[in-house]
Amino acid sequence: MALINGTNLVIKVGGVPLLKATSASLEMTVDLPDATTKDCGGWSEFFAGVRGWTLSSDGLIDYATSASVETDELVALLIARTAVAVTFSTSTSGDMLLSGNAFISSISQTADMESPSGFSVSFQGTGALTQSTVL
């Protein structure tokens, strides 16, 4: 299997990539409730509990109309408390594709003097994260 160039691994919202993204990150978790009893011989035991996932991205702000999801659209989705279909993948056929529904849990925008304006957005998955392959 070939290494994947990070530039090619993107977050899409409703099938459309985030505009001017500079990073993309996925975190998957599983709660591990303690199942230790007196019969464990002095060793801790756990079982796999509730799973969860989040996505996050940073990028540059561009309010121009384009074929990508822009910062102002992300703000509108957060204000409306709308769950959106998201994916985390490359566009290469046969690569892993992770998809699910998520709420935007936070978005921030920065505007430092004489620097490009930036954004950070976080998505909280709701329900299952499904693994398939890019067609």
Side-chain angles (χ1 to χ4, degrees):
M1 175 181 250
L3 295 177
I4 296 175
N5 183 332
T7 301
N8 298 328
L9 194 54
V10 299
I11 295 172
K12 292 183 180 179
V13 177
V16 181
L18 293 177
L19 179 67
K20 308 272 189 216
T22 58
S23 69
S25 179
L26 165 70
E27 180 178 11
M28 297 182 294
T29 60
V30 62
D31 289 336
L32 297 170
D34 191 338
T36 306
T37 67
K38 293 179 181 182
D39 301 321
C40 294
W43 292 95
S44 297
E45 291 185 0
F46 300 89
F47 68 91
V50 176
R51 294 162 292 177
W53 57 277
T54 60
L55 290 170
S56 61
S57 183
D58 297 313
L60 302 178
I61 296 173
D62 184 350
Y63 293 131
T65 302
S66 72
S68 299
V69 177
E70 302 165 14
T71 311
D72 55 338
E73 294 173 275
L74 296 172
V75 169
L77 290 167
L78 181 139
I79 290 170
R81 297 184 269 194
T82 303
V84 293
V86 293
T87 60
F88 185 75
S89 70
T90 70
S91 59
T92 304
S93 180
D95 280 356
M96 181 176 63
L97 169 70
L98 297 168
S99 59
N101 292 311
F103 289 98
I104 296 174
S105 58
S106 69
I107 186 166
S108 63
Q109 299 180 57
T110 58
D112 296 328
M113 183 177 71
E114 298 302 320
S115 297
S117 298
F119 73 89
S120 291
V121 62
S122 296
F123 299 87
Q124 175 64 58
T126 181
L129 184 64
T130 304
Q131 181 178 345
S132 59
T133 56
V134 178
L135 300 177

